[in-house]
Amino acid sequence: MAIQRMDNVGIVVEDMEAAIAFFVELGMELEGRAEVEGAFADRCTGLDGVRCDIAMVRTPDGHSRLELAKYRSPAVIGAGPRNRPHNILGTHRVMFAVDDIEDTVARLRPHGAELVGEIARFEDSHLLCYLRGPEGIIVGLAEQLN
């Protein structure tokens, strides 16, 4: 049996409103919000006393989603500095295709986005950049040329 699809990527955040605003400005749509708690949440996460607010945002085509989670309990554990370099082990970015990379970066700056490097051209096919968004998340942007 094969998997059906990738359903979502989960990201733990401290400031839910800032994270939602950032990803909505990027062009994602808020699909819904909920509070998760109870025995099933404890069993699934391997934690005790889970109380977590979640928000699901999806891409306009409806095929990709991010689940933003803010833990009320147990307390969030910091994973080190939020300005970690791109080559650290583990998940390091989420990449989005955009139609205008410069406009997208400009719209995200008021939401705290900072370029990690710079907008770079890959041959004649793409403009690419990485930027640091809320909670130090590295978000990749790719604009196809031609």
Side-chain angles (χ1 to χ4, degrees), residues 54-117:
I54 63 168
M56 193 70 74
V57 292
R58 69 172 178 254
T59 55
D61 66 4
H63 294 294
S64 302
R65 300 186 308 175
L66 296 177
E67 179 183 290
L68 306 172
K70 177 180 178 159
Y71 277 83
R72 299 198 177 278
S73 72
V76 174
I77 298 171
R82 293 187 179 195
N83 61 346
R84 296 180 301 177
H86 188 268
N87 63 339
I88 197 160
L89 291 175
T91 304
H92 65 277
R93 67 150 169 83
V94 178
M95 178 72 78
F96 295 95
V98 298
D99 13 350
D100 185 335
I101 199 167
E102 290 184 16
D103 176 66
T104 303
V105 170
R107 288 187 299 105
L108 293 175
R109 284 188 193 275
H111 295 275
E114 296 177 9
L115 284 170
V116 172

Side-chain angles (χ1 to χ4, degrees), residues 13-21 33 53-55 68-70 135:
V13 300
E14 284 185 310
D15 188 338
M16 179 68 81
E17 299 311 315
I20 291 171
R33 296 176 79 149
D53 297 325
I54 63 168
L68 306 172
K70 177 180 178 159
E135 315 296 338

